[in-house]
Amino acid sequence: MKKEYLIYKLSEEMKEAARIDNELFSKFDVKRGLRNEDGTGVLVGLTKIGNVVGYERVPGGGLKPIPGKLFYRGYDVEDIAHAVLKEKRFGFEEVAYLLLSGRLPDKEELSSFSELINENMPLEQKTKMNIIELEGNNIMNILARSVLEMYRFDPDADDTSRDNLMRQSIELISKFPTIIAYAFNMLRHATLGRSLHIRHPREKLSIAENFLYMLKKDFTELDARTLDLLLILQAEHGGGNNSTFTVRVTSSTGTDTYSAIAAGIGSLKGPLHGGANIQVADMFHHLQKNIKDWTNEKEIDAYFTRMLNKEVYNKSGLIYGIGHAVYTISDPRALLLKELARELAREKGKEREFAFLELLEERAIATFGRIKNNGKTVSSNVDFYSGFVYELIGLPQEIFTPLFAMARIVGWCAHRNEELTFEGKRIIRPAYKNVLEEENYVPIKER
């Protein structure tokens, strides 16, 4: 039997073996995707780290949509972000301290923490050389391999004591920007024949500033402050998002930090999770080319109608960047990012493009409500503006999802530490109902 035919045959048999009747899910009350019938997540744990709020319960058990809120350790992220923006300073390090420790640092603590982050940004020489020598065009894979490589250089890699977990957390948060910047410059060199730049992180710079310096050297203050805001907004999003839950599941086995974080990276890489901002950017470019009058609401509505009816664009029936699993009336991250996006568009001379994106947001929500007519309240999410902002800063699509990981490593570490430090910890093991009848084994000569 030819190998190609055998693979095809196995593939067809796999398709049949994986088929499960839909009515069985209802019969056994299976929470597909760990979701309840009303779309809310199945409660599987407790946390004191992040809280994502998009609705409230009403008498009778229904859900009432409310403006979205995101809390880090009980603090409203809007308050944190507005304070940072007002004072024109960098806040990602402060958020990292808060999420890791559970409280806000004072000036001296924040200064010492920032210095510690900066000291840990350089990579081991062997890790640096491995990044340079790696082939492939996906930086998320390079990031995962580099994290696993860190295990080799950690003399206490398997130690899950509190002190060691915190040390590892700080080192991971510090090294992610360096790994991603070096990986992109390697990719650019390998695929485009450009010069290979390895810039060492500089003292006294924030994580956002150092990343932009290592990646492309030249940037404006507004570029760095906008990236810093994005890192703040994406640092944490509750324990139920797929990548964070993946980190908690793997951590519950007692595995080492690097294996758990690599698993989280693998989850975030998926297009249904961390790759949404790329899809929004692609959709925006498509609409720029296919909408003749960027101010014509009727033309935009007509095109979105065709998109929802799977007639144009990629025929998925989706408008990317619209809707969220929890947020209903608004995504607070999108509202905050929109404030700086407008300012950044003005600096880059892209005000017309920003006005078009803003109108697309308005008409997408209106068209979705009219076409779907299902009573569901939707809003734009953070991805609707993040891809646009990344491009204004001059960041390539290859690092959009790695940048998400650069922010979310803080939340991943906080949740891993909580999972392992909690005295009542148990390995996470949900159940799957087997719906196949038992079979009698048939000897091979009788098959």
Side-chain angles (χ1 to χ4, degrees):
M1 185 181 294
K2 289 185 177 181
K3 293 179 181 178
E4 293 80 4
Y5 176 72
L6 178 58
I7 291 172
Y8 168 77
K9 188 172 183 293
L10 289 169
S11 172
E12 289 298 305
E13 291 173 346
M14 177 178 69
K15 179 181 177 182
E16 181 59 33
R19 183 178 287 116
I20 298 175
D21 294 334
N22 278 325
E23 61 266 22
L24 292 177
F25 290 94
S26 298
K27 177 181 178 180
F28 294 110
D29 191 28
V30 176
K31 310 292 188 181
R32 278 193 277 187
L34 289 181
R35 303 279 186 88
N36 296 309
E37 287 296 323
D38 59 9
T40 59
V42 173
L43 187 61
V44 297
L46 303 175
T47 183
K48 295 170 69 176
I49 300 170
N51 190 22
V52 184
V53 182
Y55 51 82
E56 61 183 21
R57 295 279 181 184
V58 296
L63 301 177
K64 176 185 175 183
I66 60 173
K69 286 287 184 182
L70 175 60
F71 297 91
Y72 291 169
R73 296 288 189 179
Y75 293 95
D76 192 327
V77 169
E78 291 181 61
D79 293 337
I80 297 173
H82 282 141
V84 168
L85 294 175
K86 182 180 179 181
E87 297 166 17
K88 291 192 175 183
R89 61 183 178 86
F90 297 95
F92 183 54
E93 287 83 351
E94 179 181 335
V95 164
Y97 190 106
L98 170 65
L99 290 172
L100 290 177
S101 73
R103 65 176 182 83
L104 290 168
D106 60 28
K107 284 187 177 181
E108 183 180 352
E109 289 169 332
L110 180 57
S111 177
S112 296
F113 182 75
S114 298
E115 287 178 10
L116 184 58
I117 291 285
N118 197 275
E119 288 171 6
N120 280 282
M121 289 188 88
L123 301 179
E124 292 277 353
Q125 184 64 22
K126 288 185 178 180
T127 300
K128 193 185 304 180
M129 296 308 299
N130 281 342
I131 291 173
I132 294 172
E133 293 169 3
L134 282 174
E135 294 184 1
N137 60 359
N138 194 292
I139 293 175
M140 289 295 280
N141 282 1
I142 295 174
L143 179 61
R145 289 181 63 177
S146 299
V147 167
L148 291 173
E149 180 83 2
M150 289 174 67
Y151 180 95
R152 293 177 55 200
F153 305 110
D154 188 339
D156 299 308
D158 292 300
D159 180 3
T160 57
S161 66
R162 287 199 312 274
D163 287 356
N164 201 53
L165 287 172
M166 188 59 71
R167 175 188 63 80
Q168 291 174 332
S169 298
I170 290 168
E171 290 188 2
L172 283 162
I173 293 166
S174 304
K175 294 185 187 321
F176 264 43
T178 314
I179 293 170
I180 295 166
Y182 288 0
F184 174 72
N185 279 311
M186 177 281 300
L187 178 64
R188 192 182 72 144
H189 170 70
T191 59
L192 300 178
R194 303 287 294 275
S195 298
L196 179 60
H197 297 287
I198 298 294
R199 299 184 189 90
H200 300 294
R202 301 173 71 179
E203 293 182 8
K204 308 299 182 184
L205 294 185
S206 67
I207 286 178
E209 291 172 303
N210 251 323
F211 176 74
L212 291 175
Y213 171 74
M214 289 187 289
L215 185 81
K216 62 192 193 81
K217 189 177 181 179
D218 298 320
F219 58 92
T220 69
E221 180 188 349
L222 186 55
D223 287 340
R225 289 202 296 113
T226 305
L227 178 58
D228 181 71
L229 176 65
L230 266 164
L231 295 176
I232 290 171
L233 298 179
Q234 295 183 320
E236 156 64 1
H237 214 236
N241 72 80
N242 197 283
S243 57
T244 301
F245 188 59
T246 296
V247 171
R248 293 200 75 134
V249 169
T250 51
S251 294
S252 75
T253 70
T255 192
D256 67 276
T257 293
Y258 307 104
S259 294
I261 297 304
I265 293 169
S267 166
L268 191 69
K269 180 189 174 187
L272 297 182
H273 188 9
N277 45 26
I278 297 175
Q279 293 172 319
V280 175
D282 285 339
M283 180 187 74
F284 182 54
H285 294 314
H286 175 85
L287 293 171
Q288 284 179 298
K289 295 176 182 177
N290 288 274
I291 302 293
K292 294 179 181 179
D293 183 354
W294 289 4
T295 64
N296 190 319
E297 294 184 7
K298 290 184 179 180
E299 184 183 359
I300 294 171
D301 288 358
Y303 204 84
F304 274 144
T305 298
R306 295 179 66 197
M307 283 178 61
L308 290 170
N309 289 332
K310 302 182 179 181
E311 297 172 1
V312 292
Y313 186 40
N314 62 4
K315 299 182 180 180
S316 66
L318 301 173
I319 300 177
Y320 296 107
I322 300 297
H324 190 268
V326 180
Y327 297 126
T328 49
I329 291 177
S330 61
D331 179 342
R333 303 168 302 170
L335 297 178
L336 288 163
L337 183 57
K338 191 174 178 179
E339 295 178 27
L340 269 193
R342 180 180 286 104
E343 189 178 341
L344 193 63
R346 190 179 303 116
E347 177 182 273
K348 307 298 182 185
K350 297 291 183 179
E351 292 161 288
R352 181 168 174 260
E353 287 80 357
F354 178 79
F356 181 44
L357 186 61
E358 224 178 359
L359 184 58
L360 289 175
E361 176 188 26
E362 175 193 312
R363 301 320 307 163
I365 294 169
T367 306
F368 184 94
R370 176 172 54 82
I371 298 298
K372 296 297 183 180
N373 194 28
N374 57 7
K376 184 179 179 181
T377 303
V378 297
S379 65
S380 61
N381 58 51
V382 68
D383 294 315
F384 197 85
Y385 283 96
S386 62
F388 177 71
V389 164
Y390 285 149
E391 290 187 346
L392 289 182
I393 296 173
L395 303 178
Q397 283 195 6
E398 290 90 343
I399 65 168
F400 283 11
T401 307
L403 278 171
F404 196 161
M406 191 170 106
R408 190 56 60 83
I409 181 60
V410 176
W412 289 341
C413 287
H415 280 276
R416 170 173 167 78
N417 296 349
E418 185 179 65
E419 184 72 33
L420 291 178
T421 303
F422 173 56
E423 292 181 359
K425 60 180 178 288
R426 296 181 67 180
I427 186 172
I428 297 174
R429 192 201 184 284
Y432 270 70
K433 172 73 176 177
N434 190 298
V435 292
L436 190 65
E437 297 293 331
E438 293 184 8
E439 301 280 356
N440 291 322
Y441 180 79
V442 179
I444 192 167
K445 64 182 180 180
E446 298 176 17
R447 295 175 210 164

